[in-house]
């Protein structure tokens, strides 16, 4: 994988409260992929409890998550949904 960051589609941001994560689509070159960032990862990134405004935190830290998402995808490119963890930050 050549790209070191993905392009997050802000129109796809979805707060999945049941799974405690924000899900979104991201483009990496000509490839589109589903991504998720758990609330715990958002808390580690921001130092803020994401329960009340997790989508706003994803928007605020989109640049950092774009790089972390590319790292997470590089671990396993065959995932249906790539989960961005604290180790990817």
């Amino acid at each position: 994988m050549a790209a070191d960051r993905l392009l997050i589609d802000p129109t796809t941001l979805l707060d999945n409260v049941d799974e405690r994560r924000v899900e979104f689509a991201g483009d990496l070159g000509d490839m589109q992929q589903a991504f998720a960032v758990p609330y715990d990862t958002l808390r580690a990134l921001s130092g803020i409890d994401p329960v009340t405004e997790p989508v706003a935190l994803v928007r605020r830290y989109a640049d950092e998550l774009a790089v972390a998402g590319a790292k997470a995808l590089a671990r396993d490119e065959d995932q249906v949904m790539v989960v961005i963890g604290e180790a990817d930050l």
Side-chain angles (χ1 to χ4, degrees):
M1 178 174 54
D4 63 345
R5 64 183 304 118
L6 59 101
L7 178 61
I8 296 173
D9 181 351
T11 65
T12 64
L13 292 172
L14 169 72
D15 181 12
N16 184 336
V17 177
D18 293 335
E19 297 289 328
R20 298 185 48 83
R21 64 188 189 186
V22 177
E23 299 171 355
F24 58 89
D27 292 321
L28 198 59
D30 60 351
M31 178 179 143
Q32 188 172 57
Q33 178 71 43
F35 289 87
V37 59
Y39 289 3
D40 289 342
T41 303
L42 287 173
R43 183 178 298 111
L45 177 61
S46 68
I48 299 169
D49 187 358
V51 173
T52 57
E53 295 292 331
V55 172
L57 284 176
V58 170
R59 290 183 194 277
R60 184 180 310 159
Y61 291 96
D63 289 338
E64 292 89 341
L65 291 170
V67 173
K71 287 181 189 176
L73 180 61
R75 279 196 322 267
D76 182 4
E77 295 183 9
D78 294 328
Q79 299 176 71
V80 173
M81 179 167 297
V82 176
V83 177
I84 302 169
E86 292 180 43
D88 300 310
L89 299 177

